[in-house]
């Protein structure tokens, strides 16, 4: 069996729960003392840290949402002085304001550790060549995998995303054995290989760790067949740590959550009530070892279920099923979080278009594409074609600057986008996942 830390990954549940409780109590004390926002929220509920005496008491604590991070932008939820923050990452936000994540040296160590577990479970070791085709920068994907690969002593190829033909050439020349990227990009790499006349037998690839967007079992089979690898699902989110929150083992019957660091719950998204094992609901995490940005009961908006039985691989870490949907309107395109409200704010600033729009997401040649339909005003629509083309370019540029990904904007006649008496259907997702 492949473990990075067999002691922690296969620990009996009662011992693990003792560790979780100790860490939870310490975390609650720390945020109460160091984060005014949490102290205020707990006081409003009439809770003091001493009330947390068991893991069951977790449900007494307040939830944290993405909006809370935005309301405390940029550093309001940090629990340490800024002098102790050694790294800052950020994920996309609805109004151009990102959610900001700070890491201490200790946090970077935890991140490396959970990513080491993730990579070893996928068959990586110190003899591996890990090609990281996730984006580097403020996005947590690239650097998260990078530090985990270095932790296990693997040779890291930090190529980042894009430049597909060069990626393939390097895969062949450098002898890449593990690929890390989004699943849709893995398929795009496979297609480009065919165009270049490169056969999968020329590669030394053995496995891939794929995440940052939803993908199906059919897509897994396609990736495995086209690249001749075993494809592993990984899950993470910047607010909790980045990639490395949970990972698949060789049996691929759910993703093992690193629950000695991230305490999971499943709740009813409407009522907030905690649900039982195997029940589908919203995934909630409490970080119990992080120093820089410890989060209490963070609502991920992801819908899944948890399973606590021991896995065939020997790990006792709880398993989460593949995420089957979201409770909010966020869509993930090529690993980037996109909110309809981001596009709405761009259009409202323009003034030359109506506030009626629709996002159409599709997967073309295995890459996610976003088309934005925008209704123009009667006045603009009667204008000459050249003016409409200029407006289309102007809107495209503004949306791309806001989102950080390419989009196709199509102007449509007034009143052609379907109206709704209830919640407007802003997003049509045609991806088969």
């Amino acid at each position: 069996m492949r473990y990075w830390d067999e002691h922690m990954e296969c620990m009996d549940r009662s011992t693990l729960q003792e560790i979780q409780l100790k860490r939870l109590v310490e975390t609650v004390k720390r945020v109460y003392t160091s984060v005014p926002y949490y102290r205020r929220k707990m006081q409003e509920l009439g809770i003091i840290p001493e009330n947390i005496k068991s893991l069951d008491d977790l449900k007494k604590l307040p939830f944290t949402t993405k909006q809370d991070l935005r309301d405390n932008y940029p550093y309001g939820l940090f629990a340490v002085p800024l002098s102790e923050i050694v790294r800052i990452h950020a994920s996309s936000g609805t109004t151009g304001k990102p959610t900001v994540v700070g890491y201490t040296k200790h946090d970077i160590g935890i991140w490396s550790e959970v990513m080491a577990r993730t990579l070893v479970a996928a068959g990586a070791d110190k003899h591996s060549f890990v090609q990281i085709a996730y984006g580097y920068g403020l996005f947590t994907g690239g650097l998260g995998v990078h530090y985990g690969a270095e932790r296990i002593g693997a040779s890291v190829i930090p190529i980042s995303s894009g430049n597909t033909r060069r990626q393939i050439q390097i895969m062949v020349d450098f002898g890449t054995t593990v690929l890390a990227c989004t699943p849709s990009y893995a398929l795009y790499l496979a297609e480009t290989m065919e165009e270049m006349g490169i056969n999968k037998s020329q590669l030394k690839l053995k496995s891939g760790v794929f995440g940052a967007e939803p993908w199906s079992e059919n897509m897994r089979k396609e990736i495995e067949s086209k690249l001749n690898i075993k494809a592993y699902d990984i899950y993470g989110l910047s607010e909790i740590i980045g990639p490395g929150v949970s990972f698949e083992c060789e049996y691929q019957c759910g993703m093992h959550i690193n629950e000695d660091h991230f305490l999971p719950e499943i709740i009813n998204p409407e009522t907030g009530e905690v649900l039982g094992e195997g029940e589908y609901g919203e995934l909630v995490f409490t970080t119990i070892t992080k120093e820089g940005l410890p989060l209490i009961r963070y609502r991920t908006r992801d819908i899944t279920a948890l399973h606590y039985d021991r896995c065939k691989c020997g790990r006792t870490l709880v398993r989460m099923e593949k995420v089957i949907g979201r409770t909010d309107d966020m869509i993930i395109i090529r690993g980037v979080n996109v909110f309809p409200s981001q596009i709405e704010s761009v259009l409202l600033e323009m003034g030359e278009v109506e506030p009626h729009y629709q996002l159409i997401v599709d997967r073309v040649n295995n890459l996610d594409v976003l088309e934005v339909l925008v209704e123009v005003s009667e006045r603009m629509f009667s204008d000459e074609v050249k003016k409409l083309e200029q407006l289309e370019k102007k809107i495209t540029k503004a949306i791309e600057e806001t989102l950080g990904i390419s989009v196709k904007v199509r102007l449509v006649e007034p009143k052609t986008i379907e109206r709704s008496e209830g919640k407007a259907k802003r997003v049509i997702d045609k991806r088969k996942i």
Side-chain angles (χ1 to χ4, degrees), residues 316-354:
T316 50
L317 297 173
V318 62
R319 302 185 315 282
M320 62 178 272
E321 291 186 20
K322 261 186 182 297
V323 171
I324 59 166
R326 292 187 58 82
T327 63
D328 63 7
D329 62 356
M330 188 180 91
I331 46 176
I332 300 175
I333 298 166
R334 302 196 290 278
V336 175
N337 298 344
V338 174
F339 293 83
S341 48
Q342 283 174 294
I343 288 163
E344 187 168 290
S345 61
V346 169
L347 297 177
L348 290 172
E349 279 170 29
M350 290 280 169
E352 296 152 297
V353 290
E354 298 296 321

Side-chain angles (χ1 to χ4, degrees), residues 114-129:
V114 294
M115 271 314 301
R117 294 179 191 178
T118 301
L119 289 165
V120 168
D125 59 23
K126 66 178 182 182
H127 305 292
S128 300
F129 285 77

Side-chain angles (χ1 to χ4, degrees), residues 185-204:
Y185 191 59
L187 278 179
Y188 187 59
L189 284 166
E191 282 186 356
T192 309
M193 267 169 54
E194 283 174 37
E195 287 169 20
M196 292 169 71
I198 290 174
N199 191 287
K200 60 187 177 186
S201 63
Q202 292 173 253
L203 301 178
K204 291 184 178 172

